[in-house]
Amino acid sequence: MKQVYIYDTTLRDGTQREGISLSVADKLRITRLLDDLGVAYIEGGWPGSNPKDAAYFEAIQGITLKHARIAAFGSTCRKHSQPQDDENIRALVDAQTPVVTLVGKTSMLHVTEVLQTTPEENLRIIYDSVRYLKTLGKEVIYDAEHFFDGSKLDPHYALQTLQAAVDGGADWIVLCDTNGGSLPWEVTRLVEIVRAMFPETPLGIHTHNDAELAVANTLAAVQGGATQVQGTINGYGERCGNANLCSIIPDLEIKMGYYCVPEGALRHLTHLSRTVAEIANLAPDQHLAYVGKSAFAHKGGIHVAAIRRNVDSYQHIDPALVGNEMRILVSDLSGRGNVLSKAEEFGLDVTDAAAIRVLDKIKALENVGYVFEGAEASIAVRLYREQSDYRPLFTLIDFTVIVEDRRGRGQLAEAMVKIDLEGDVIHTAAEGNGPVNALDLALRKALIPRYPQLHDFQLADYKVRILDGANGTAATTRVLIDTQNGAKRWSTVGAGTNIIQASWLALVDSVEYGLKIAYDVVNV
Ligand SMILES: [Zn+2]
């Protein structure tokens, strides 16, 4: 099998995405995750650009990696200067990485308008910078910025810049679609031309997603003979993003027969994608190919019936290959088969008659504003309640919530909860930073003496959506609650015209799911 070397630039190009800011500790965590996946190169940052990246390169020296080589990124030296006198080049050397990735100008437009120098001086800059870093024993990856656009403008000059890097001793030439507007067939053709011209130097590809083609262009470059692929986890990057490695790696391995990461590592891809999203403080995109929560989710009744007969009938790969899983969505479209599949998924034994009862309830609840997609724990709880030996954890007697805004004291939210816990009446009160928080705390206070496991359950996310906006404050409110305990996370839903009541329903489902289904806590 032929190898394609994966070069990750999440920590440099990926952080150009709006809304991402990674601390040094975040970057080190992501580095370890990428190394565990087994990528060949990790670009840590641009040491000349900011002190945080310089701190990262200092910290990374104390860490032994299993697979990846760390690269520092920077540009060729300034015009009319020598690399050894150039501040940016010095920062690259000081980063003490085994690999340096140098970006240089390829397009005549950028040479004359942006760099404002002569074509000859640009060639000298490229040659001298690569040469200098080679004399210091670095592996040098040369990123030819705007290669594809530059080739359209002045193909002869674009190739001359590559020649300068090759003459300087570059170990790799990486062709960049910096503006992200190229088309796959153009990419294949140009990669083939470059490959024929420099048969001794391996080629790489760096694409952006401005025409929704970053992944396609990357695969097209590999078709043309590129053996290094640059990209980011989840496609994070400036504007519309970089090439998404979470799609490219499985495309190359599963569909094209290339070898990218060590044997068995592909199964960690889904976990890696979601963990990097969490570290970047972005909600994981449910609809990502291969690794998204919806990537193997089935909703239509006919699809689900077919999937129950043959699991491959409506999915392109076995989701387990990338560490993802198939999900059957239960919604008003669904049939009894969806409900039975869900029961199987949760390990619950449910009769056909019970499945029909649950389906009827789900349909009725969806009529009043519930949505069960993305709130699977609420379905599990409903299936669970249909079991013959079901006993509720507790029954609510009353709750009261008071919200006040008092002069001098500011806002105050307090909740009182009265429940029946197997014959005992428990009455608790708690203050919170808002009414739902107070209600959550009061309920926990009532239950924790009996179920200490609740200590470890955290409210991870709380989303409110107003349905039927025309009714103003009388509109229906849907509440989605995510609860977390370590790596386990589950979602529940509640709906109604009263936001507190809707929240209470979602809270009760969350507690019941967590204790009874996720952790199988037995009533004592
Ligand atoms: Zn880029």
Side-chain angles (χ1 to χ4, degrees), residues 9 12-14 16 43 73 143 176-179 206-208 230 237-239 241-242:
T9 178
R12 203 265 311 166
D13 233 2
Q16 298 300 310
E43 191 174 81
F73 177 92
D143 271 11
C176 302
D177 188 27
T178 310
N179 294 359
H206 177 114
T207 63
H208 280 262
Q230 299 195 346
E238 207 159 8
R239 308 186 306 275
N242 280 60

Coordinates of all heavy atoms in Angstrom, one line a residue, residues 9 12-14 16 43 73 143 176-179 206-208 230 237-239 241-242, ligand 1:
T9 N -2.3 21.0 10.4 CA -2.0 22.4 10.7 C -3.1 23.1 11.5 O -3.4 24.3 11.5 CB -1.6 23.2 9.4 OG1 -1.4 24.6 9.8 CG2 -2.7 23.1 8.4
R12 N -2.0 25.9 13.7 CA -1.6 27.2 13.0 C -2.7 27.7 12.1 O -3.4 28.6 12.5 CB -0.2 26.9 12.3 CG 0.6 28.2 12.0 CD 0.3 28.9 10.7 NE 0.4 28.0 9.6 CZ -0.1 28.3 8.4 NH1 -0.6 29.5 8.1 NH2 0.0 27.4 7.4
D13 N -2.9 27.0 11.0 CA -3.9 27.5 10.1 C -5.3 27.4 10.7 O -6.2 28.2 10.5 CB -3.9 26.8 8.8 CG -3.8 27.7 7.6 OD1 -3.7 28.9 7.8 OD2 -3.8 27.2 6.4
G14 N -5.6 26.3 11.5 CA -6.9 26.0 12.1 C -7.3 27.1 13.0 O -8.4 27.5 13.1
Q16 N -6.8 30.1 12.7 CA -7.2 31.4 12.0 C -8.8 31.5 11.9 O -9.3 32.5 11.4 CB -6.6 31.4 10.6 CG -5.1 31.3 10.5 CD -4.5 32.6 11.2 OE1 -4.9 33.7 10.9 NE2 -3.6 32.3 12.1
E43 N 2.1 20.8 12.7 CA 2.6 22.2 12.7 C 2.1 22.9 13.9 O 0.9 23.1 14.1 CB 2.0 22.9 11.4 CG 2.7 24.2 11.1 CD 2.2 24.7 9.8 OE1 1.1 25.3 9.7 OE2 2.8 24.5 8.7
F73 N 6.4 27.0 11.5 CA 6.0 27.6 10.3 C 6.4 29.1 10.2 O 6.4 29.8 11.2 CB 4.4 27.6 10.1 CG 3.9 28.2 8.9 CD1 3.7 27.5 7.7 CD2 3.6 29.6 8.9 CE1 3.2 28.1 6.6 CE2 3.0 30.2 7.8 CZ 2.8 29.5 6.6
D143 N 6.2 25.6 1.3 CA 4.8 25.8 0.9 C 4.8 26.9 -0.2 O 5.1 28.1 0.1 CB 4.1 26.4 2.1 CG 3.4 25.2 3.0 OD1 3.8 24.1 2.8 OD2 2.6 25.6 3.9
C176 N 0.0 25.1 -2.8 CA -1.1 25.6 -2.0 C -2.1 26.3 -2.8 O -1.8 27.1 -3.7 CB -0.5 26.7 -1.0 SG 0.8 26.0 0.1
D177 N -3.4 25.9 -2.5 CA -4.5 26.6 -3.1 C -5.0 27.6 -2.0 O -6.0 27.4 -1.4 CB -5.7 25.7 -3.5 CG -6.8 26.4 -4.3 OD1 -6.4 27.4 -4.9 OD2 -7.9 25.9 -4.2
T178 N -4.2 28.7 -1.9 CA -4.4 29.6 -0.7 C -5.7 30.2 -0.7 O -6.3 30.4 0.4 CB -3.2 30.6 -0.8 OG1 -2.0 29.9 -0.9 CG2 -3.2 31.5 0.5
N179 N -6.3 30.6 -1.9 CA -7.6 31.3 -1.9 C -8.7 30.3 -2.0 O -9.9 30.7 -2.0 CB -7.6 32.3 -3.1 CG -6.6 33.4 -2.9 OD1 -5.9 33.5 -1.9 ND2 -6.6 34.3 -3.8
H206 N -2.0 21.7 -0.1 CA -2.6 22.5 1.0 C -3.7 23.2 0.4 O -3.5 24.1 -0.5 CB -1.5 23.4 1.5 CG -2.0 24.4 2.6 ND1 -1.5 24.3 3.9 CD2 -2.8 25.4 2.6 CE1 -2.1 25.2 4.6 NE2 -2.9 25.9 3.8
T207 N -4.9 22.9 0.8 CA -6.1 23.5 0.1 C -7.0 24.2 1.1 O -7.0 23.9 2.3 CB -7.0 22.5 -0.6 OG1 -7.5 21.5 0.3 CG2 -6.1 21.8 -1.7
H208 N -7.8 25.1 0.6 CA -8.8 25.8 1.4 C -10.2 25.6 0.8 O -10.3 25.2 -0.4 CB -8.5 27.3 1.5 CG -7.4 27.6 2.6 ND1 -7.8 28.0 3.9 CD2 -6.1 27.5 2.5 CE1 -6.6 28.1 4.6 NE2 -5.6 27.8 3.8
Q230 N -1.8 18.4 3.6 CA -2.0 19.3 4.8 C -3.4 19.6 5.0 O -4.2 19.9 4.0 CB -1.2 20.6 4.5 CG 0.3 20.3 4.2 CD 1.1 21.6 4.3 OE1 0.6 22.7 4.3 NE2 2.4 21.5 4.4
G237 N -10.4 26.5 10.0 CA -9.4 27.4 9.3 C -10.1 28.7 8.9 O -11.3 28.9 9.1
E238 N -9.3 29.6 8.4 CA -9.8 30.9 8.0 C -11.0 30.8 7.0 O -11.1 29.9 6.2 CB -8.6 31.7 7.3 CG -8.7 33.2 7.4 CD -7.3 33.8 7.3 OE1 -6.4 33.1 6.9 OE2 -7.2 35.0 7.5
R239 N -11.8 31.8 7.0 CA -13.0 31.9 6.1 C -13.8 30.6 6.1 O -14.5 30.4 7.1 CB -12.5 32.2 4.6 CG -11.5 33.4 4.5 CD -11.2 33.8 3.1 NE -10.7 32.6 2.4 CZ -9.4 32.3 2.3 NH1 -8.5 32.9 3.0 NH2 -9.0 31.2 1.7
G241 N -12.6 27.6 5.9 CA -11.9 26.5 6.5 C -10.8 25.9 5.6 O -10.7 26.2 4.4
N242 N -10.0 25.0 6.2 CA -9.0 24.2 5.5 C -9.6 22.9 5.0 O -10.7 22.6 5.4 CB -7.8 24.0 6.4 CG -6.9 25.2 6.6 OD1 -7.3 26.2 7.0 ND2 -5.7 25.0 6.2
Ligands
ZN1 ZN -3.6 27.9 4.5

